[in-house]
Amino acid sequence: MADELKMTAVPQDFPKFIVPGHEKEMDSIRRLFWLHHQNAGPLIPLWDEWMPMSTLWPARGEGEQLEAMRGKWAAALSSRPMNGEGYVLTLQHDGPAHAEGWPFPGWHIAGGVGWHFRGTGIAGYDRPTVGPEGWEITGGKIGEVNDKGLVVELTEPRATLSHAGFTIAAKNSPWLRLNWWASGLERASGYVEWTSSDHPDFSPDRRAYFSPAVADQAHLFMPMGGGGGKLDTTVGETRTMIPVYRIPGWAGTITSFRIAFDNPGPAKLVIKSFHTAPDTRITVNNPNFIRGCHDYFMWSRDVTFLRSQIARIRSAMRFIQREFQTRQKKCLYTTWPGHEGRSGVRIVDGKKQVIPGEGIGSNYWDILPFGGEDALGTIYYYDAVRDLADLEEQIAAHPQWCVAIGADAFDAGDLRHHAAEVKEYGTKRFWNEKTGRFCTVDLDGQMHDYGFTFLNNEAVYYGLATAEQAKSIHAWLSGERIVEGDTSTGADIYHWRFGPRSTTRRNLDYYFWGWSSPENIPWGYQVQDGGAVLGWSYHDLMARLKTAGPDDAASRLHEICSWFAETQAEGGYRAYYGKDPTRGSMQGGNVPGGLGLDKEFFESVLVPQVMLYGFLGFRPTADGCAIDPKLPSDWPSLTITRIHLHEHVLDVTADAAGRSINVAWASSPSARAERPSHDLLVDAPADWKVVGGDGLSVKIRTK
């Protein structure tokens, strides 16, 4: 995405929202949608829950253009890397941290040790490069540092590289990372050993094995004069992650490393970097991947995709249930090093304590220590369980799809029973009776409650909150009740206009250890401490619609539309906020701030989805759709055009007076003729009449 979003003319074939008497508002929300949709599409797995539902349904053009977004999503979801344990890799840009996780905090922030012979080229994350000084080799030769890294030639079997002369705390460096290329190690069983202050000798008790880097054999060597060859580093860079924290001998103070390559004969290596790493894996990648696959299939009914991906979807779920003990604990129970939900910044007897290695972020909120008994992760898991149950039910109901069932299949009824258990546990464990809202809980059982509006709105949106809890949350956010001790109350919760503050209580002591001076940033000028993110206004709107009704949600949407129109009239978000610092500070492009609107805040595209999923109540299903309109009292009707569902492109109108839903073709007759036609099954409330328009065959199933 470009550094700064630029509004261009909204294309005629982009969906329209039509509400008689509200043309100005509808134009504003459509322009907001186009602004954030025009460059939207698949991102990293973290966004797989929010982006498919926002980008798959708008029908742009016909033929190949119409199918373009589906093609992008099918390719992206199908190619999400998953390691041998079933963890879906983060795919964030490179940094000096875990290769399969978030790029920070890096080893240098954790007090670890590292050698970067060549950098990644990622501004703001690269560490200073070094030479081979301090490294010793047996059975080989250390060569130059070329444009890829340190060249090493192994001339004798069982060669080793070693380095001493440092001290690090094992508990803060749970992983080792080796970025490298190699040839000649195809059948080797390499390992790394270490010594500590308590155990000064190398020993098998302090050893961790790793797989060799093996280049593509077809490209292993590049020809050189005289019949020799050199390692081809244009392909096959391997990022090897070694979980040393799982070895009992990884303890105390580490004092040296020895890398044994187990080479049976000559071998060639290029080592880009070797360093320790905090555990920066993201706990919500797997549930978001499952939910993204579910949403893609329901919108597209791409049976080929489902057949090819169901085993990976099931593997992703089994990883969650095994790694986070969800069946036993009834929540996302995170014990990864640094993810125990404890803060790395604590105020004890009036004095600040910074504890390296503690409080690592587990999700989108990357400086907040959600972990331990993770409330937000549990909500996402709860939703993913129900989505997988939905897929398993549809697979069983459609034997003609010939989707593999097998021993790895889940029982849909069992999944739904488990989801109910998670909800029952979560509504008690994460509910703070004193404040009347949800919070998160660390592994010591301590609650952390800073008025997380996103956590509470998502608990309502995804259905984890009870009806009474939803009412309590709405009363707090709408200002009907004041939570004692909060920094922001009443109308000030919506100080930034487009949505609620991310938190309502000043947070000076609940962060990962690297964010250790929050007091230096004014309240509201950090996204995760009193600031706000535009995209999460979607959950706020949907929670209001569910709890307080359509008029309440429409009133909030009106304010968002007015805010957006004002920003665009002054030249866009950055021009608007740049003119007056009191309006707020924008975050983006490695520059912290209080408001998340553009740049890395791709989820801003969520906000207009309240029109489709909320007020129209539209939901794709395997055989058609469900429509359950929730129209504000002053909306005579709502029409949404160009909805791409399965092989259909639809215009849907909900008419309040007639309690009727009209579902009609939006595509041209020639385009319809090119596509196979199936009856559209529409689920609707019994008090709404559904009719097909323009020759569309509709079957109705009432609730």
Side-chain angles (χ1 to χ4, degrees), residues 107 112-118 127-135 150 162-166 168 176-179 255-257 259 271-276:
W107 62 263
V113 65
W115 298 266
H116 294 263
F117 303 108
R118 278 290 176 259
R127 303 306 304 148
T129 57
V130 299
E133 294 78 19
W135 285 95
L150 178 65
S162 60
H163 199 296
F166 63 86
I168 60 170
L176 299 179
R177 174 176 172 178
L178 178 62
N179 281 28
T255 56
S256 71
F257 291 124
I259 306 173
I271 299 175
K272 186 177 181 179
S273 59
F274 177 69
H275 58 82
T276 60

Side-chain angles (χ1 to χ4, degrees), residues 360-383:
I360 298 175
S362 300
N363 50 54
Y364 174 96
W365 305 92
D366 56 7
I367 64 174
L368 297 176
F370 280 89
E373 294 195 53
D374 184 345
L376 188 61
T378 298
I379 292 169
Y380 292 176
Y381 171 66
Y382 171 72
D383 192 52

Side-chain angles (χ1 to χ4, degrees), residues 552-570:
D552 184 274
S555 176
R556 183 91 279 280
L557 180 64
H558 176 78
E559 178 62 17
I560 295 170
C561 290
S562 298
W563 161 83
F564 179 73
E566 289 178 27
T567 65
Q568 299 310 296
E570 294 195 28

Side-chain angles (χ1 to χ4, degrees), residues 115 117 131-143 150-154 158-166 202 256-261 269 271 274:
W115 298 266
F117 303 108
E133 294 78 19
W135 285 95
E136 297 181 357
I137 192 166
T138 62
K141 296 184 293 186
I142 296 177
L150 178 65
V151 177
V152 177
E153 185 176 358
L154 308 182
R158 313 294 181 260
T160 65
L161 270 175
S162 60
H163 199 296
F166 63 86
F202 292 111
S256 71
F257 291 124
R258 181 169 70 183
I259 306 173
F261 294 101
L269 317 175
I271 299 175
F274 177 69

Side-chain angles (χ1 to χ4, degrees), residues 408-462:
D408 69 331
F410 285 82
D411 178 81
D414 176 65
L415 286 174
R416 294 203 183 280
H417 174 75
H418 175 53
E421 292 179 323
V422 172
K423 176 172 180 173
E424 182 180 11
Y425 182 82
T427 54
K428 296 180 176 69
R429 182 58 165 166
F430 302 124
W431 186 251
N432 187 338
E433 293 287 352
K434 293 181 179 179
T435 60
R437 62 195 182 197
F438 286 103
C439 60
T440 196
V441 180
D442 65 29
L443 288 190
D444 296 326
Q446 181 178 349
M447 282 186 167
H448 299 276
D449 184 351
Y450 293 88
F452 300 119
T453 61
F454 55 88
L455 172 66
N456 284 270
N457 277 326
E458 290 182 74
V460 176
Y461 172 70
Y462 290 114

